[in-house]
Amino acid sequence: MVANTLFGGRDPYAAGRPTMITGSPVRIGVVDTGIAQPQHPFLNDGVSGDPEPDDLDENLRGHGTFVTGVVLLNAPGAEVRMRAVVSETSGKREDEQVAEAIMELVGEVDLINLSFGGATWEHTAPPALQEAIETALSQEVVVVAAAANNASPLRNYPAALPGVISVGAATADGRVAEFSSFGSWLTVYARGEDVKGPYQAGWATWEGTSFAAATVTGRIAWLMAEKHLSAQVAADQLLSKCREITVHDVNGERTAKYLV
């Protein structure tokens, strides 16, 4: 799914952006498609890691850059380390690539953002992926994952793994987006429609749980820096202050957390 609307010009969030993180930056790992080259000017010197492959599928092109941009729009000055996991020439399954990327980041970062996911025939996470995330959580790394865009209550991984902050997409007025996964297994909803971010040489709007997750990651990072908190304490505080919204799913009406 490519970006909905492309537009050039200046940073659309130049006014009203959160305070720049100063001092020791928060370290965020992003496992995604890589950083598009040449690197977008908004992605500052704090962004490092794998470039986007030249042969990346058109529907995925720019995804890693956009996700990183959304993180930084919510936590300007944070340090982002990108690990690309879309190689078709490595001979490894995608879940194995993701697991290796997570393990590389453990010990280097405070937060890991995973803006992708999917269901499995067995309704369980691939063992390598589950083990890597359990390792990250045991090292006090907070893991945030997108719930998926399948408009279904079916559990998606890695978001549905215990301990992961699973993020669904909502509209600006706090309704679950039509495309978003839903269900009691989700931790929180955040805005996932008409999200603005860096794309190609300019800016764009995009929709998806990918960008709702990136927003949550960025907000946790900003709170860590602003209040000198650990990643887990910052995440707990952020979630405790979320607004409650009414959602409807297979079990009827219930309340859910919505990050305003």
Side-chain angles (χ1 to χ4, degrees):
M1 182 172 61
V2 297
N4 316 66
T5 305
L6 302 178
F7 55 95
R10 61 194 290 274
D11 171 3
Y13 290 122
R17 186 183 298 159
T19 306
M20 176 74 72
I21 292 174
T22 57
S24 298
V26 177
R27 302 166 303 166
I28 303 168
V30 175
V31 180
D32 213 285
T33 63
I35 298 295
Q37 302 298 310
Q39 185 164 301
H40 193 285
F42 175 74
L43 304 187
N44 56 37
D45 294 336
V47 177
S48 62
D50 299 334
E52 182 179 89
D54 292 335
D55 60 351
L56 185 65
D57 184 278
E58 182 64 29
N59 288 329
L60 295 175
R61 191 165 298 281
H63 190 275
T65 290
F66 200 96
V67 165
T68 300
V70 173
V71 169
L72 291 174
L73 285 165
N74 286 277
E79 184 178 291
V80 175
R81 300 179 186 182
M82 168 65 71
R83 293 293 181 272
V85 291
V86 291
S87 173
E88 295 182 1
T89 61
S90 68
K92 297 177 181 176
R93 298 193 311 268
E94 185 175 297
D95 59 287
E96 293 176 332
Q97 294 181 55
V98 172
E100 287 186 4
I102 291 171
M103 294 301 294
E104 289 175 5
L105 291 168
V106 171
E108 295 184 2
V109 300
D110 308 293
L111 292 155
I112 294 178
N113 186 90
L114 307 173
S115 283
F116 53 83
T120 64
W121 288 109
E122 300 84 3
H123 303 293
T124 58
L129 179 57
Q130 181 169 349
E131 183 177 346
I133 287 180
E134 287 175 349
T135 299
L137 296 174
S138 73
Q139 297 299 310
E140 300 183 344
V141 176
V142 168
V143 179
V144 180
N149 302 328
N150 56 17
S152 164
L154 188 65
R155 291 175 182 263
N156 289 272
Y157 297 94
L161 280 169
V164 173
I165 298 175
S166 52
V167 187
T171 62
D173 58 356
R175 293 176 292 107
V176 177
E178 291 184 359
F179 58 80
S180 178
S181 296
F182 58 90
S184 59
W185 57 278
L186 268 71
T187 308
V188 64
Y189 291 87
R191 184 168 177 178
E193 284 190 345
D194 297 324
V195 180
K196 295 183 177 65
Y199 187 81
Q200 296 180 3
W203 295 80
T205 61
W206 212 335
E207 64 180 24
T209 58
S210 289
F211 317 120
T215 296
V216 171
T217 296
R219 295 281 290 275
I220 293 171
W222 185 86
L223 195 58
M224 289 173 64
E226 180 71 8
K227 296 191 174 183
H228 307 289
L229 303 174
S230 69
Q232 189 60 63
V233 171
D236 291 344
Q237 286 196 13
L238 184 70
L239 293 173
S240 71
K241 295 178 180 178
C242 286
R243 174 180 147 197
E244 284 197 343
I245 58 173
T246 300
V247 299
H248 304 271
D249 58 31
V250 292
N251 294 316
E253 186 177 284
R254 64 180 182 85
T255 59
K257 294 182 182 294
Y258 169 58
L259 180 63
V260 178

